[in-house]
Amino acid sequence: MADTNTASTADPVPPSGIVTPLGGLLRHVSLQRKLAVVVLVTTVAALTIAATAFAVYDASVSRSRSADHLATVADLVAATIAPALQTARPDRVEPYLEALARDTHVQAAVAYGGDGRPLATWSRGDASVYLAPELPDTEVLAAAPTSATRIFRPIVADGRQVGVLLIESTGPGGMATLVNYLTVIVAIIIFALLVTLGLLRPLQGIVSRPILDVVRAARRISDDDDFSVRMQKHGQDEVGELVDAFNLVLERVEEHGRQLKAARDAADAASRAKTAFLVNMTHELRTPLNGIIGYAEMLCEEAADRGRDDLIPDLERIRHAAGDLLGLINNVLDLSKIEAGRMELNVEEFNLRGLITKVVDGVQPMAAANHNRISVSVNDDLMRLVMRSDPTKLGQCLRNLLSNACKFTERGTIHVIAKRRDESILIHVADTGIGMTAVQLDRVFDEFVQAEASTSRRYGGSGLGLAISRRLCRQMGGDISAESRPGAGSTFTIRLPLTIPVPATEPAGVVRMAS
């Protein structure tokens, strides 16, 4: 059962400020282009606001000046035509009104007599002449505000009002003036943008170059894992503070890396020393144990020959105890070899059906001790299938699984099922034993660990068989998984490839696998 690692990621820090639509559009644009767009947009906005404000102010001033000018002209004309109007001579009034044509803003003029009827009129081209339906009196005329469109002025002669002068003007601006203003504003903005673009390229490097240097340094660190890189500081601004902070982080990371490397080297040295010690000790212990087992077998035979059957049970206990201890030592030796990367796979071709039969026959006495039955089911397509792997290691894994099944099952059935799936072989070992809980199942492949203390006391074992089996299967390109429920038995599944490729640098039949 493979370990499961749960990776957690911290929530991203939300960006400060207001995210504008422009910011969303420029999210994947380079920093230099972002700076260019920001400067250009800001320039256009500032120039537009400034030009609009200037146009509004100029229009207001021009309107006021035009109104004052029109009022002056009206006063002058009213004073000039007063004598002619007093004598009711329209022919003498009209030339003065026609003289207003020189002022391009004046469109029409009307001179009213004392009775309120128009005595003389003038208009520019097809301009319509405004005729006031009712003329205001002198007091109202004196208090009336000056307008840049239409202006009334009393005509006074000898201290008496003899008529009223009306002058109609287009005033300043109009469509032509508006077009002129817009043309000037657009021209100013275009000129300013051209100047800005010319200055932007050499000037934006002041901001973008230090940030781009930070980006390049960070990418180099990420690609090469070189934490000795230091970033160059270009100034005392915020980017300079960022560079200082980044360099400080790099110094600490580099220091921690040196400490971790030293700790790793020390741990590797201790692991190598431990492995060497275990390998040497297991070799030293196996020699006397093999002697004890041999002498115990000889003594059993000699006791049987001499008719001392009362001694045979004790001698058998000695032999079995020595055999169990030898098995434990062999497991420790295998684990040490795997951890040291010295485990070699002897790859050869073999028949899977024959290997399974051989292993099952070898564990039949253990199954019989607990009154268990072993059933073997091999698919027809595997009967003559030739597998290319390490038969010794596969047999060791299968023997460990069957031994565990026989140990934890009493008066039950152990099923061995082999089948092919694509280019892999699946071997299921299912029992009807005590089973395991979810917590026990998570720890079943740990080294020197059994389901619980009571299980170890009752059934014995070192807790290395399954751990070694999983490591051997993984070195052969496969794995072992387990499923179980308390009281419903357990099912262990070996999955191995049909063929283990032999590296070209290794001798035929030998594959050295690193742990």
Side-chain angles (χ1 to χ4, degrees):
M1 186 174 181
D3 297 335
T4 302
N5 294 328
T6 302
S8 62
T9 57
D11 294 335
V13 178
S16 59
I18 301 176
V19 179
T20 62
L22 182 60
L25 294 175
L26 300 178
R27 184 176 302 169
H28 303 293
V29 179
S30 65
L31 178 63
Q32 289 181 333
R33 293 185 178 179
K34 285 180 181 177
L35 287 174
V37 171
V38 169
V39 171
L40 293 178
V41 170
T42 305
T43 302
V44 170
L47 289 175
T48 302
I49 294 174
T52 303
F54 173 77
V56 171
Y57 173 76
D58 185 69
S60 175
V61 173
S62 297
R63 189 178 297 110
S64 176
R65 290 177 178 176
S66 179
D68 294 340
H69 171 72
L70 189 61
T72 302
V73 171
D75 291 339
L76 180 60
V77 172
T80 303
I81 66 176
L85 200 63
Q86 185 179 14
T87 59
R89 296 287 300 274
D91 55 329
R92 297 180 60 185
V93 175
E94 290 179 356
Y96 292 103
L97 298 183
E98 293 175 356
L100 293 174
R102 298 176 183 177
D103 193 329
T104 58
H105 295 299
V106 177
Q107 299 296 312
V110 180
Y112 294 90
D115 56 359
R117 291 182 301 173
L119 295 178
T121 61
W122 170 84
S123 63
R124 185 185 302 276
D126 57 350
S128 61
V129 179
Y130 172 80
L131 298 177
E134 182 178 355
L135 293 176
D137 55 17
T138 305
E139 290 77 9
V140 174
L141 289 175
T146 300
S147 172
T149 302
R150 187 175 294 116
I151 184 171
F152 291 92
R153 279 293 182 266
I155 302 174
V156 180
D158 298 332
R160 180 175 61 89
Q161 180 175 338
V162 295
V164 175
L165 175 65
L166 167 63
I167 297 179
E168 186 173 352
S169 171
T170 57
M175 184 58 65
T177 304
L178 178 61
V179 171
N180 291 335
Y181 276 131
L182 291 178
T183 303
V184 172
I185 290 174
V186 172
I188 292 174
I189 291 176
I190 293 176
F191 178 74
L193 287 179
L194 293 176
V195 174
T196 302
L197 287 174
L199 297 176
L200 187 59
R201 182 175 297 275
L203 292 180
Q204 70 177 354
I206 298 175
V207 177
S208 62
R209 184 169 58 251
I211 298 177
L212 293 177
D213 288 346
V214 173
V215 173
R216 284 190 290 268
R219 186 176 292 114
R220 176 183 171 187
I221 294 170
S222 176
D223 295 341
D224 302 337
D225 288 335
D226 183 9
F227 293 98
S228 63
V229 175
R230 294 296 180 269
M231 300 181 185
Q232 182 179 359
K233 187 174 180 180
H234 295 275
Q236 300 296 332
D237 54 3
E238 290 82 355
V239 179
E241 294 179 1
L242 174 63
V243 170
D244 289 338
F246 207 96
N247 288 335
L248 180 60
V249 171
L250 289 177
E251 291 177 1
R252 294 183 178 179
V253 170
E254 187 178 14
E255 178 62 26
H256 291 170
R258 286 193 293 266
Q259 296 176 358
L260 289 176
K261 184 178 182 300
R264 184 194 62 189
D265 294 342
D268 290 343
S271 178
R272 288 192 296 269
K274 179 203 71 173
T275 301
F277 171 77
L278 290 176
V279 171
N280 293 332
M281 287 302 299
T282 51
H283 280 297
E284 294 296 330
L285 292 174
R286 289 174 68 186
T287 301
L289 279 176
N290 285 325
I292 292 174
I293 293 173
Y295 279 115
E297 292 176 350
M298 292 173 55
L299 290 174
C300 285
E301 294 175 359
E302 185 175 353
D305 293 339
R306 294 185 180 185
R308 298 295 305 274
D309 294 340
D310 57 321
L311 298 178
I312 294 179
D314 293 331
L315 294 175
E316 287 290 340
R317 292 189 184 94
I318 294 174
R319 186 173 66 84
H320 283 302
D324 292 340
L325 184 57
L326 182 60
L328 174 60
I329 293 174
N330 288 334
N331 285 338
V332 173
L333 179 60
D334 289 341
L335 183 62
S336 301
K337 287 182 178 180
I338 294 173
E339 289 183 345
R342 296 168 57 185
M343 178 64 71
E344 296 179 358
L345 298 181
N346 297 310
V347 179
E348 58 185 75
E349 295 181 349
F350 60 93
N351 178 260
L352 180 62
R353 178 69 172 85
L355 176 65
I356 293 175
T357 301
K358 179 180 178 182
V359 174
V360 169
D361 291 341
V363 297
Q364 284 291 357
M366 184 179 297
N370 282 350
H371 307 285
N372 294 320
R373 184 176 66 87
I374 301 178
S375 68
V376 179
S377 174
V378 180
N379 287 4
D380 294 337
D381 57 347
L382 297 181
M383 288 297 182
R384 297 182 180 180
L385 178 69
V386 175
M387 189 173 178
R388 191 169 184 275
S389 187
D390 189 330
T392 302
K393 301 299 186 295
L394 176 56
Q396 181 179 353
C397 296
L398 185 57
R399 190 177 300 107
N400 286 337
L401 297 184
L402 286 172
S403 299
N404 279 351
C406 292
K407 184 191 304 182
F408 296 108
T409 304
E410 294 182 2
R411 302 183 184 278
T413 302
I414 300 169
H415 301 277
V416 180
I417 304 171
K419 55 187 177 182
R420 178 175 179 176
R421 178 177 296 174
D422 299 329
E423 296 300 317
S424 299
I425 295 296
L426 300 180
I427 304 176
H428 304 283
V429 178
D431 61 61
T432 57
I434 61 176
M436 291 178 287
T437 65
V439 176
Q440 295 169 346
L441 193 62
D442 289 338
R443 304 173 57 197
V444 70
F445 291 107
D446 293 345
E447 299 162 3
F448 300 104
V449 174
Q450 289 202 353
E452 55 187 18
S454 60
T455 303
S456 178
R457 289 192 300 268
R458 179 178 178 182
Y459 297 99
S462 61
L464 286 176
L466 292 178
I468 292 175
S469 298
R470 165 171 273 192
R471 291 203 179 195
L472 291 177
C473 285
R474 288 181 173 177
Q475 287 189 347
M476 290 186 288
D479 204 349
I480 294 182
S481 59
E483 298 177 357
S484 184
R485 287 187 303 169
S490 304
T491 299
F492 289 83
T493 301
I494 296 177
R495 178 184 55 80
L496 290 176
L498 281 174
T499 301
I500 296 180
V502 179
T505 57
E506 296 293 342
V510 178
V511 180
R512 291 183 174 86
M513 308 294 289
S515 59

